[in-house]
Amino acid sequence: MLAAGNTEQEYKSEAKVKNVTDEKIELINLFGVQVDPKERKIMIPAKVNMTQGLVEYVLVHDTGKTHESLFKTSIKAEHLNAALLLLLPKKRLPSVRSLHENQIGIQIRYEDPGGNVKVVNVDRWIKNSLLEKPMKPGPWGYLGSRVEENVFIASRDGSLVAVREDSDAVVGNPRPESSQDDIWEANMPKDIQVGQNLTLMLTVRPLGKDL
């Protein structure tokens, strides 16, 4: 689903994309979202928004619910949604919002104080406070939000990737505990600072393959 007033073809046109399976295409810039069709990967520039406390979102827009999100970004929800639509197998687009139909891996790429580039699964930076352990590893799911009165709700709310249950986000958490919004806490390494630049990388599962 796309923001009101735009079709999938319009997004492709604006991004100058004719066929994402074309081997000549190496990287697509979609309104600041970097899309790698060959690797089925989406890269989003972001900043660390909080390093401690309860979290309900992995990623929100700068105007979203920043008081409860690990990261924030200037990227709009409809542009993440458009990038996902380019990569998601069409047969797997949900007719009903099912987080289990489309599996998405989420990783963080960042530099440590020594300038070394590191990549870690985002679930390592979120703790289940009931178990006092990091979030259970696993994929995330595509929701696609919804349009109401010509408004793309994920853009209105600034909700890109949700930890708690939120059907209006673009990407959601399929873990059973997502219905509990008071158990997830930031679990950042000590050298991570608020305001630090990093990249969120979303990898879409190819049809018939696991992440």
Side-chain angles (χ1 to χ4, degrees):
M1 189 176 293
L2 298 169
N6 293 81
T7 65
E8 183 177 353
Q9 185 58 44
E10 285 174 335
Y11 276 116
K12 290 181 180 180
S13 176
E14 291 181 49
K16 297 181 180 179
V17 179
K18 291 184 179 180
N19 183 356
V20 297
T21 62
D22 190 333
E23 293 183 357
K24 295 181 180 179
I25 296 177
E26 295 183 359
L27 202 63
I28 301 165
N29 187 330
L30 189 64
F31 305 97
V33 180
Q34 299 293 312
V35 183
D36 186 333
K38 185 176 180 180
E39 298 297 325
R40 306 187 67 82
K41 193 180 296 290
I42 294 169
M43 289 147 284
I44 303 172
K47 291 181 180 291
V48 175
N49 181 62
M50 56 189 296
T51 58
Q52 59 184 354
L54 292 173
V55 297
E56 295 188 4
Y57 293 88
V58 170
L59 182 66
V60 299
H61 187 263
D62 292 333
T63 60
K65 300 172 183 176
T66 53
H67 63 288
E68 52 194 11
S69 179
L70 284 180
F71 312 113
K72 62 181 180 179
T73 181
S74 61
I75 298 299
K76 294 182 178 180
E78 65 261 33
H79 298 151
L80 169 59
N81 193 56
L84 284 166
L85 287 175
L86 289 175
L87 298 183
L88 284 167
K90 297 302 181 285
K91 291 183 179 179
R92 298 244 172 192
L93 292 179
S95 55
V96 178
R97 294 174 192 170
S98 172
L99 286 167
H100 303 283
E101 287 297 314
N102 298 282
Q103 295 191 12
I104 300 169
I106 303 180
Q107 295 179 306
I108 306 156
R109 185 175 65 203
Y110 70 102
E111 287 189 6
D112 67 14
N116 301 304
V117 176
K118 294 187 175 182
V119 176
V120 61
N121 289 338
V122 73
D123 47 63
R124 303 299 302 172
W125 286 13
I126 303 171
K127 181 175 71 174
N128 183 324
S129 62
L130 294 180
L131 302 177
E132 286 297 317
K133 294 181 179 179
M135 174 184 279
K136 183 179 179 180
W140 299 68
Y142 174 74
L143 286 170
S145 192
R146 60 192 172 94
V147 173
E148 185 176 283
E149 296 182 355
N150 294 322
V151 175
F152 189 56
I153 302 302
S155 288
R156 183 198 67 186
D157 297 343
S159 302
L160 282 77
V161 182
V163 176
R164 69 166 175 84
E165 193 173 87
D166 181 2
S167 61
D168 288 332
V170 178
V171 175
N173 175 13
R175 297 160 183 80
E177 302 89 350
S178 66
S179 61
Q180 303 179 61
D181 59 7
D182 58 352
I183 67 169
W184 306 108
E185 296 180 0
N187 189 40
M188 303 288 208
K190 292 182 179 180
D191 58 359
I192 298 298
Q193 303 294 320
V194 171
Q196 181 173 335
N197 294 316
L198 44 72
T199 302
L200 256 69
M201 302 187 296
L202 284 69
T203 304
V204 177
R205 180 187 67 174
L207 191 63
K209 295 185 179 181
D210 294 326
L211 287 167

